Structure formats: C-alpha cells, structure tokens
Amino acid sequence: MIHNEDHSEHETCSKKNEIVKKLSWKYRMPENCDPIEIFLMHLKAKIEMIERLNHESDNKHRHQFHIMLDARDVNRVSAAVRMKMDSFCKTFLKRIENAICYVTILVTGEEQRKKMDKLYGNSGIEEYEIILPSDVVTRNLSDYFSV
C-alpha cells in the first residue's frame, strides 16, 4: 500500500466569534513523497469537501482540517517532487489557507525534522509542527499515529 488515510470530526472551537468545526485527516506519506500526485489528489479532494461543507453550513459555522502526516518514510524529497508540491501550493494557496487550520508531521529524528521544517517553511503553510515518536507518547496522540 502506498498510503493510508482516515478522517473524522475532531472538535469544535470558537475562533474570532465564529464556530469552527475541525476535522482531522491523517495520511501516511509514501516513501520520499513519491509519487506525490496521489497525496495532492487527496488533498485537493479534501479542500473541495471543506468548501462544500462550508457552503452548505450557510455561515452558521466553518469547517477546517487538522492534517496529521506520517512522514517517517520521507528521508529526502527530489527536486521534481518539490516542484510539483510548490506548484500545487502556489495554485491553491488561498484555498489551502481557508481549508487547513493546522498540520502535524510525524518524523523519526532530528535530521528528518530539519528537512521537513525547511520543506514546509517554504510551502506557505504557516500553522504546522513537526513531532517525533516520543512526542506522540508524551502528548497522548496514539489515536492519530501508531508508533
């Protein structure tokens, strides 16, 4: 299996006098993000789903995703994959900002954390954190990540 994914309703919170229903989406990235097209296709579908839910809510509340990426198999990202990711982010940046409230990325070690931080730091996604397996245990995130 190249990837696996799951999503569920996570929590409701109040943000600037509006109700935001957070949905969680967990996704296991393929080895070195290749092929990236599968992830981008799923991400686009999730963005469209959020837009549809927000349209149907008649401004009573908004929906957004908390994306949890298992990136433990990502040790390097090729230039071709990075270009596809950058292109997608530039094309969908405003829609991404509206659909995603936070991204949590699970990695195996400090070196991988630095690489992923550089990758996401350049993506335009501002609200993210990169965690290690020990953080999963400490913060009781085992419902989202198996370590």
Side-chain angles (χ1 to χ4, degrees):
M1 178 187 298
I2 293 176
H3 71 280
N4 57 12
E5 70 171 320
D6 184 28
H7 74 85
S8 60
E9 189 160 330
H10 182 55
E11 62 186 74
T12 303
C13 67
S14 213
K15 187 177 181 181
K16 296 181 183 177
N17 295 329
E18 69 178 353
I19 296 172
V20 178
K21 289 190 176 184
K22 288 194 221 173
L23 304 173
S24 61
W25 175 43
K26 60 182 177 179
Y27 189 92
R28 185 175 184 104
M29 296 299 289
E31 185 176 344
N32 296 327
C33 296
D34 196 16
I36 193 63
E37 292 83 3
I38 295 170
F39 170 70
L40 297 177
M41 177 183 66
H42 284 278
L43 179 56
K44 184 175 184 245
K46 296 296 182 187
I47 291 169
E48 290 168 349
M49 182 184 93
I50 289 290
E51 291 171 343
R52 191 171 48 255
L53 287 170
N54 287 338
H55 178 73
E56 292 169 359
S57 73
D58 294 326
N59 294 323
K60 294 177 187 163
H61 57 268
R62 286 184 344 121
H63 292 83
Q64 284 190 312
F65 267 113
H66 172 195
I67 300 176
M68 290 158 291
L69 295 177
D70 185 338
R72 289 177 286 183
D73 294 333
V74 180
N75 295 308
R76 61 181 172 77
V77 178
S78 71
V81 167
R82 193 170 303 184
M83 284 176 35
K84 290 175 187 176
M85 292 169 77
D86 289 346
S87 176
F88 183 88
C89 287
K90 286 177 185 172
T91 302
F92 291 95
L93 184 59
K94 193 64 174 169
R95 293 172 73 186
I96 289 169
E97 289 172 347
N98 289 327
I100 299 171
C101 62
Y102 205 74
V103 179
T104 303
I105 306 153
L106 176 63
V107 297
T108 56
E110 284 299 325
E111 184 178 326
Q112 193 182 20
R113 181 187 288 205
K114 289 175 187 173
K115 289 177 184 179
M116 294 305 283
D117 189 39
K118 184 177 180 183
L119 182 70
Y120 272 84
N122 294 329
S123 72
I125 297 171
E126 295 178 13
E127 299 294 324
Y128 71 93
E129 73 175 325
I130 302 168
I131 62 173
L132 299 170
S134 59
D135 298 324
V136 172
V137 175
T138 304
R139 294 171 46 194
N140 196 21
L141 298 171
S142 57
D143 289 346
Y144 303 110
F145 298 110
S146 58
V147 290

